[in-house]
Amino acid sequence: MLLEGKTGLVMGVANKRSIAWGITNAVSKAGARVVLTYQSERLGENVTELAESLKDPLLLQCDVSHDDQIASTMGRIQEQVGHLDFLVHALAFAPREALDGMYADTKRDDFKTALDVSAYSLVAVSRAAMPLMQGRQSSIVTLTYLGSERVVQNYNVMGVAKAALESTVRYLANDLGPHGIRVNAISAGPIKTLAAAGIGGFSKILHFVEKNAPLRRGVTIHEVGNVAAFLLSDLASGITGEVTYVDAGFSTTTAGLEAE
Ligand code: NAP
């Protein structure tokens, strides 16, 4: 039981296909108590139903684009749990029209929204969680994608937001390390989720990866969940500021792959 006696916050469960749900299952199997946040009332019912399978869950609503909601979430955790051993940031957003066509057409407001929700929010939640996490050998994990380093058709401003997120991981790791908090990212291969459905041509990308990744398949939310459980546990006590790839090896390959 890798995470026995630990309590963590998982942000970003929308439904049973969410990467955050794969992580929630892995960490609770490893013995952790989980606090879940969801963005809107619309998702509350869904998440409440999913959470019935967990032991002693705490559910809170938190839209990470609002500092007051982040503060009240941490306040509730302080009251009801008193501390946090880990935090999972598994959320992102860009307006649909920014995930189609040319990146050069990205509007200023869409750029701001994507960077705010998908990258700055990690800074905001980490800072707010710090008093609950410091001095506990605690760990933060966020989710990124290869589109931060390579051009992926239609990923556009989300790729730029993920580049900012990965850089944020390194700066936060340096700031929070002296307080006993590690910060890492998992770069997951493409997985069919609600967020992925918003990316034009996603199925084509998924199919290409399944055909050409060294493992000749994609990855599951359970595989991402298991790596997150490791990074959140004391087994990973020497790892911080890193991006770990859970993508069936696809990011290691280059041109000359099989045609579709
Ligand atoms: P998902 O199930 O749709 O989860 C995305 C979550 O982000 C949803 O719960 C969504 O809530 C939440 N969210 C969006 N804006 C928010 C806000 N302002 N405040 C709070 N929550 C907000 O999709 P997913 O694929 O699991 O995404 C999880 C993470 O993995 C994202 O960072 C994504 O970029 C990353 N990732 C995904 C893939 C992939 O192929 N699926 C690959 C690599 C990395 P609503 O539904 O209410 O908007």
Side-chain angles (χ1 to χ4, degrees), residues 12-15 18-20 39-40 42-43 62-65 90-93 117 143-145 155 162 188-191 193-196 202:
V13 175
N15 57 34
S18 296
I19 292 177
Q39 180 186 192
S40 58
R42 183 176 55 84
L43 287 181
C62 181
D63 181 332
V64 297
S65 57
L91 52 90
F93 175 77
V117 176
L143 269 297
T144 186
Y145 177 58
Y155 202 57
K162 291 301 192 193
I191 301 175
T193 62
L194 260 187
F202 175 80

Side-chain angles (χ1 to χ4, degrees), residues 183-204:
V183 188
N184 290 288
I186 291 175
S187 186
I191 301 175
K192 258 191 192 164
T193 62
L194 260 187
I199 299 157
F202 175 80
S203 302
K204 209 169 146 196

